């Protein structure tokens, strides 16, 4: 009797411990399992151009589910649903009779379809809202904007880089449910509000982008090119006004079947890939030679059509040579011999120091994922023959954006800039981010920059860049015709034709890079790329006024 | 220890009157708790199982109806047992034990035995399934009472027959396997043997034997080791071995002192396994709180107290021991169930007498109550 009384007391003691002493702790844990939380997707912020033109927006679409257990008349439900949703009646009927607790009827239905089904009074239908991404201009600014996955999480471009701002905070619906997540009939439901994502304003301009996209598309067709890319940037602030690449695709209909091809087309090659720049690199060599005081009007250089360095004969593009010329004439003629001499005069250390000061061996820091950085032979192992080649843009690899940023610094008075795509990010509570666009560290003197500008203007006025000339606007620039390498060998007949041009030449504001990859037929940058830069400036200045 | 102390006092008429009144009161202290617990059981079964029954069988009253099918025949059986003289029980007890053993063995006959949750504990006769162990435990008690009434367990040779009966029953139940019922029958048999005057040195021997055997039994089955560990820290493995206990804790914890109110359990929405049977006490705790649990335990305590009083009031050794044995089974099983639910001992499946869903269990315990009442009725 005593024993039994003792045991009763013992179990009551344990009961009191569990049910009273430890109760709060247990209750909290129990609450977690009693509610099913369904996220309420926050509305994703918009992407707009600098003037507020919407480039990417969100629309609500609906996902329709059915819970077979709650549908009594399955035949009727199957016939109504298959008609409205254009589904196969037999398959749907079979699904409605399956043992699964929930089946997905349709994703991405529009509001009208959703309402028709709800109004049909079919039982056991559940609707969830989804937010889908819509790009009003389709195949436009494709690599810049990027796209999202089905959960509207950014995967490429701005959508990915600024995903944290764009996505907002999801809300939740907490619904009382049983062990397997079935909603309870009299279960309580709690809503936790989410917050809308912030809007991202680009520095890009819809109109300028249209002009550039247009030029890129035409260059693509005219030259049967493998790829064409162009970028327009404010050369004083680094703000990008347009960035277009072809081939591309419609952002509203992302071709996801071939992932490899999709990633290739979605990648902004202007930012991610390196190429051997060829003559456009002469802008950099010139700037460094002028800054080093190696250039004056009296000094003359002789081009016989080739030059011997360390016993190796390196050819100028003009087999018969340019004869005797000043440095400025060498720039205008794009004479390789002049730039070989300049590079050798600078010497490896000074030249490398300058290249590094221009940031060509590093990333520019543009606000885009996957930026590449330039490659150069290590200083310790660079030979004179390499140095001579680097002087005119061979034996060195840079990203197009890196080359453009360096060129901008060379002609803007000597200030480094950081290319940027986003101007500001804003939500209901205010501005979250504002690009501190402006000049960076000074790497060249104003006089060097001015001298270079004058030289580059003659390229357009009298030299290889004539096709970039614009009526009424002074344009300066440099052509480039780079050979392509395949597996370490020069690929015959494969070129990248480029032109870098800035305007107005007297006080530059804009700098543009235009690249045509593997044009068929003509391949000189001055013929293939320069005309499009001229055209872009013509239309752009017309729009700006 | 339990000597017939007031055997001589029965000659006085006024004392007889008071004895009769006391006896009646004791019988009511068995009857009323039996009815209260059985009826309360059906209410709680409804609360605990209406959701799962609706899902599984399309009838929220499924388990309640089944329980009612045990309760109504149970009332008739109670009446019948109450009319039987205890001496008849004594007479048939060897036969009852033999039949019980046969039934326990029959569980293993394919087509007759039914296996659920990895154990073969049920006999399926098509229209009814029942657990022979429910009957066997009471048959064993009556048989032991009969033997001890003639040969008290004071000598080792007197212990041979009862001990072999106990071992036979335990072994067959253990083979099912059913550790929890084995343990509760063993404990009840021990209590009865002890009450019958077991020599002190044997008590120590038995305690020592249990101390040795229990770890062996536990270690012999991997699932028991896991349950042991789960009992010590259920959160180490919350989705497997620790699951039942955690869910039971959640139920008791969310119930707190006053409970969340009748029918308001959240744990019964499939979170708590066996909510209507082995873990019904968790649902009672969630809905009616610790206070409700204590009230329920108090009802059991009244019945057990009355059972012990009835045993003590009997001068006949068989009657005294039979009453004690029956009471021991009720007490042990109640304690074991509550101890499991509150995590005081490792989880093991044992129904709460009178309350848990289970037709045979209910009928057998109702019969036990009736037998106890009859034993409390002076001739």
């Amino acid at each position: 009797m005593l024993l039994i009384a003792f045991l009763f007391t013992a179990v009551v003691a344990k009961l009191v411990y569990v049910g009273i002493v430890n109760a709060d702790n247990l209750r909290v844990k129990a609450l977690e399992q009693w509610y099913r939380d369904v996220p309420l997707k926050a509305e994703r912020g918009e992407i707009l151009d600098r003037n507020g033109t919407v480039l990417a927006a969100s629309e609500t679409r609906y996902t329709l589910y059915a819970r077979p257990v709650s549908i009594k008349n399955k035949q009727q439900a199957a016939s109504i649903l298959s008609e409205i949703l254009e589904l196969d009646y037999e398959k749907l009927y079979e699904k409605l009779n399956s043992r699964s607790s929930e089946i997905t009827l349709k994703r991405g239905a529009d509001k009208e379809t959703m309402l028709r089904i709800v109004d049909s009074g079919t039982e056991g239908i559940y609707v969830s809202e989804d937010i889908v991404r819509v790009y009003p201009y389709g195949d436009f600014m494709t690599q810049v904007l990027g796209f999202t996955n089905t959960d509207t999480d950014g995967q490429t471009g701005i959508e990915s880089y600024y995903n944290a701002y764009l996505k907002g905070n999801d809300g939740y619906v907490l619904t009382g449910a049983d062990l397997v997540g079935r909603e309870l009939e009299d279960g309580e439901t709690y809503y936790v509000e989410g917050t809308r994502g912030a809007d991202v304003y680009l520095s890009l301009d819809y109109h300028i982008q249209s002009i550039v996209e247009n030029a890129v598309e035409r260059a693509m067709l005219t030259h049967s090119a493998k790829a064409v890319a162009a970028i327009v940037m404010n050369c004083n602030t680094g703000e990008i006004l347009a960035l277009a690449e072809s081939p591309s695709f419609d952002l509203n209909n992302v071709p996801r079947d071939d992932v490899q091809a999709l990633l290739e087309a979605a990648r902004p090659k202007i930012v991610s890939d390196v190429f051997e720049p060829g003559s456009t690199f002469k802008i950099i060599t010139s700037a460094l030679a002028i800054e080093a005081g190696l250039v004056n009007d009296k000094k003359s250089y002789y081009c016989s059509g080739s030059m011997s360095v360390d016993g190796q004969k390196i050819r100028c593009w003009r087999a018969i040579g340019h004869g005797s010329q000043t440095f400025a004439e060498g720039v205008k003629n794009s004479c390789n011999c002049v730039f070989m001499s300049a590079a050798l005069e600078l010497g490896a250390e000074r030249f490398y120091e300058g290249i590094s000061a221009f940031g060509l061996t590093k990333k520019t820091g543009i606000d885009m994922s996957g930026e590449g950085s330039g490659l150069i032979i290590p200083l310790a192992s660079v030979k004179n023959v390499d140095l001579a080649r680097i002087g005119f843009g061979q034996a060195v690899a840079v990203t197009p954006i890196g080359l453009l940023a360096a060129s901008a610094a060379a002609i803007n008075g000597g200030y480094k800039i950081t290319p940027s795509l986003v101007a500001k990010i804003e939500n209901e509570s205010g501005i979250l981010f504002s690009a501190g666009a402006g000049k960076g560290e000074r790497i060249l003197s104003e006089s060097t920059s001015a001298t270079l500008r004058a030289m580059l203007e003659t390229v357009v006025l009298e030299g290889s860049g004539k096709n970039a000339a614009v009526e009424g606007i002074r344009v300066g620039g440099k052509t480039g015709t780079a050979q392509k390498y395949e597996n370490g060998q020069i690929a015959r007949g494969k070129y990248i034709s480029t032109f870098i041009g800035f305007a107005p030449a007297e006080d530059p504001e804009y700098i543009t890079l235009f690249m045509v990859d593997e044009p068929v037929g003509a391949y000189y940058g001055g013929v293939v790329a320069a005309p499009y830069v001229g055209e872009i400036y013509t239309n752009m200045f017309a729009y700006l006024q | 220890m339990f000597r017939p102390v007031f055997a001589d006092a029965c000659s006085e008429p006024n004392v007889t009157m008071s004895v009769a009144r006391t006896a009646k009161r004791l019988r009511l202290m068995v009857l009323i708790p039996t009815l209260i617990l059985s009826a309360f059981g059906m209410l709680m079964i409804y609360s605990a199982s209406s959701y799962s029954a609706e899902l599984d069988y399309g009838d929220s009253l499924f388990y309640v109806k089944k329980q009612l099918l045990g309760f109504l025949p149970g009332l008739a059986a109670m009446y019948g047992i109450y009319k039987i003289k205890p001496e008849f029980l004594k007479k048939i007890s060897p036969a009852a034990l033999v039949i019980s053993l046969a039934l326990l063995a029959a569980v293993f006959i394919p087509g007759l035995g039914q296996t659920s949750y990895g154990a073969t504990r049920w006999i399926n006769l098509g229209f009814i399934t029942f657990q022979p162990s429910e009957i066997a435990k009471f048959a064993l008690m009556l048989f032991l009472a009969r033997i001890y009434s003639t040969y008290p367990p004071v000598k080792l040779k007197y212990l041979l027959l009862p001990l072999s009966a106990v071992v036979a029953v335990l072994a067959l139940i253990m083979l099912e396997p059913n550790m929890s019922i084995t343990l509760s029958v063993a404990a009840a048999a021990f209590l009865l043997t002890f009450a019958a005057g077991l020599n002190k040195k044997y008590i120590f021997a038995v305690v020592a034997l249990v101390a040795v055997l229990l770890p062996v039994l536990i270690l012999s089955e991997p699932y028991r080791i896991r349950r042991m560990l789960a009992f010590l820290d259920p959160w180490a493995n919350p989705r497997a071995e620790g699951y039942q206990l955690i869910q039971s804790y959640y139920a008791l914890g969310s119930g707190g002192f006053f409970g969340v109110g009748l029918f308001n359990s959240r744990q019964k929405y499939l979170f708590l396994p066996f909510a209507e049977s082995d873990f019904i006490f968790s649902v009672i705790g969630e809905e009616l709180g610790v206070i409700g649990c204590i009230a329920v335990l108090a009802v059991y305590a009244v019945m057990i107290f009355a059972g012990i009083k009835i045993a003590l009031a009997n001068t006949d050794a068989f009657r005294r021991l039979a009453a004690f044995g029956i009471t021991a089974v009720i007490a042990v099983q109640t304690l074991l169930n509550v101890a499991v639910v509150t995590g005081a001992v490792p989880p093991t499946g044992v129904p709460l007498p009178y309350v848990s869903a289970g037709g045979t269990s209910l009928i057998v315990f109702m019969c036990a109550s009736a037998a106890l009442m009859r034993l409390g009725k002076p001739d």
Side-chain angles (χ1 to χ4, degrees), chain A residues 285-308:
Chain A
T285 312
S286 306
L288 294 173
I290 299 166
E291 180 78 0
L294 304 173
V295 172
N296 59 61
D297 290 344
K298 282 155 204 135
K299 194 163 159 185
S300 77
Y301 300 78
Y302 185 78
C303 168
S304 64
S306 67
M307 191 172 151
S308 235

Side-chain angles (χ1 to χ4, degrees), chain B residues 298-356:
Chain B
V299 176
Y300 280 104
V302 166
M303 192 196 288
I304 291 161
F305 175 78
I308 292 169
K309 280 285 187 200
I310 286 170
L312 293 179
N314 271 298
T315 49
D316 175 67
F318 170 73
R319 290 186 174 201
R320 194 177 65 232
L321 291 172
F324 196 83
I326 291 166
T327 309
V329 170
I330 297 170
V332 166
Q333 200 168 322
T334 304
L335 280 167
L336 188 60
N337 177 277
V338 177
V340 166
V341 164
T342 55
V345 299
T348 176
V350 49
L352 185 63
Y354 306 98
V355 176
S356 283

Side-chain angles (χ1 to χ4, degrees), chain A residues 1 3-4 7-8 10-12 14-16 18-20 22-27 29-30 33-35 69 175-180 182-184 186 188, chain B residues 51 55 191 235 243 247 249-250 252-254 256-257 266-267 269-271 281 286 290 293-294 297 300-301 304-305 308 331 334-335 338-339 342-344:
Chain A
M1 190 118 167
L3 180 66
I4 290 173
L7 292 174
F8 260 87
V11 293
V12 167
K14 179 75 204 226
L15 180 67
V16 167
V18 175
I20 297 173
N22 203 16
D24 291 337
N25 176 21
L26 292 167
R27 201 174 294 131
K29 286 185 176 159
Q33 71 175 12
W34 291 343
Y35 293 93
V69 199
T175 314
D178 74 3
L179 177 68
V180 291
R182 271 176 293 232
E183 229 171 88
L184 303 185
D186 49 355
E188 326 83 298
Chain B
Y51 183 75
L55 274 180
L191 284 176
W235 274 277
Y243 184 78
Q247 296 305 331
Y249 278 164
Y250 285 173
L252 296 173
S254 57
F257 191 70
R266 277 295 267 116
Q267 284 293 91
Y269 290 100
L270 312 185
F271 297 107
F281 199 71
E286 186 180 4
V290 169
C293 286
I294 290 173
L297 288 176
Y300 280 104
I304 291 161
F305 175 78
I308 292 169
T334 304
L335 280 167
V338 177
T342 55

Side-chain angles (χ1 to χ4, degrees), chain A residues 68-310:
Chain A
V69 199
S70 338
I71 302 177
K72 293 206 177 72
N73 190 342
K74 302 203 169 158
Q75 279 179 331
Q76 191 193 11
S79 92
I80 292 173
L81 295 172
S82 63
E83 195 203 312
I84 300 177
L85 299 171
E86 290 164 10
L87 298 169
D88 183 70
Y89 172 85
E90 293 299 328
K91 276 187 193 163
L92 182 62
Y93 183 68
E94 197 179 301
K95 276 191 190 170
L96 291 180
N97 279 302
S98 69
R99 297 194 113 255
S100 45
S101 64
E102 189 177 272
I103 55 173
T104 305
L105 295 170
K106 173 135 183 117
R107 287 183 190 278
D110 57 20
K111 194 168 189 170
E112 194 204 349
T113 311
M114 183 273 290
L115 286 177
R116 273 180 70 192
I117 287 186
V118 170
D119 292 345
S120 75
T122 310
E123 327 161 274
I125 301 295
Y126 297 81
V127 179
S128 79
E129 282 187 2
D130 284 312
I131 303 201
V132 293
R133 211 53 173 160
V134 176
Y135 303 88
Y137 304 101
D139 184 358
F140 185 80
M141 232 183 259
T142 301
Q143 291 81 3
V144 174
L145 296 177
F147 52 85
T148 64
N149 60 16
T150 45
D151 292 333
T152 59
D153 258 329
Q155 289 193 303
T156 64
I158 294 291
E159 294 278 26
S160 161
Y161 197 88
Y162 289 99
N163 191 50
Y165 288 101
L166 286 164
K167 70 175 186 189
N169 290 318
D170 287 351
Y172 287 93
V173 188
L174 296 172
T175 314
D178 74 3
L179 177 68
V180 291
R182 271 176 293 232
E183 229 171 88
L184 303 185
E185 264 172 40
D186 49 355
E188 326 83 298
T189 297
Y190 301 102
Y191 284 89
V192 180
E193 283 278 334
T195 49
R196 187 185 180 279
D199 294 327
V200 171
Y201 287 82
L202 302 183
S203 58
L204 282 80
D205 182 305
Y206 166 76
H207 292 283
I208 299 175
Q209 177 76 16
S210 302
I211 292 164
V212 172
E213 296 247 357
N214 202 328
V216 165
E217 252 346 283
R218 258 178 318 102
M220 191 76 182
L221 290 173
T222 310
H223 303 285
S224 309
K226 186 183 167 200
V228 177
I231 176 166
V232 179
M233 187 174 81
N234 180 315
C235 66
N236 300 310
T237 62
E239 288 171 282
I240 292 169
L241 295 159
L243 193 165
E245 289 191 21
S246 182
S248 64
F249 52 89
D250 184 349
L251 289 169
N252 291 319
N253 190 14
V254 177
R256 294 180 198 266
D257 299 337
D258 185 346
V259 176
Q260 214 57 32
L262 174 61
L263 290 178
E264 183 63 20
R267 189 157 50 93
K269 284 165 272 300
I270 280 179
V271 169
S272 62
D273 290 11
V274 294
F275 76 124
E276 196 186 57
S279 301
T280 44
F281 193 78
K282 289 170 183 167
I283 297 172
I284 309 303
T285 312
S286 306
L288 294 173
I290 299 166
E291 180 78 0
L294 304 173
V295 172
N296 59 61
D297 290 344
K298 282 155 204 135
K299 194 163 159 185
S300 77
Y301 300 78
Y302 185 78
C303 168
S304 64
S306 67
M307 191 172 151
S308 235
V309 183
D310 291 348

Side-chain angles (χ1 to χ4, degrees), chain B residues 67 100 145 149 269 302 306:
Chain B
Q67 191 75 351
S100 296
S149 64
Y269 290 100
V302 166

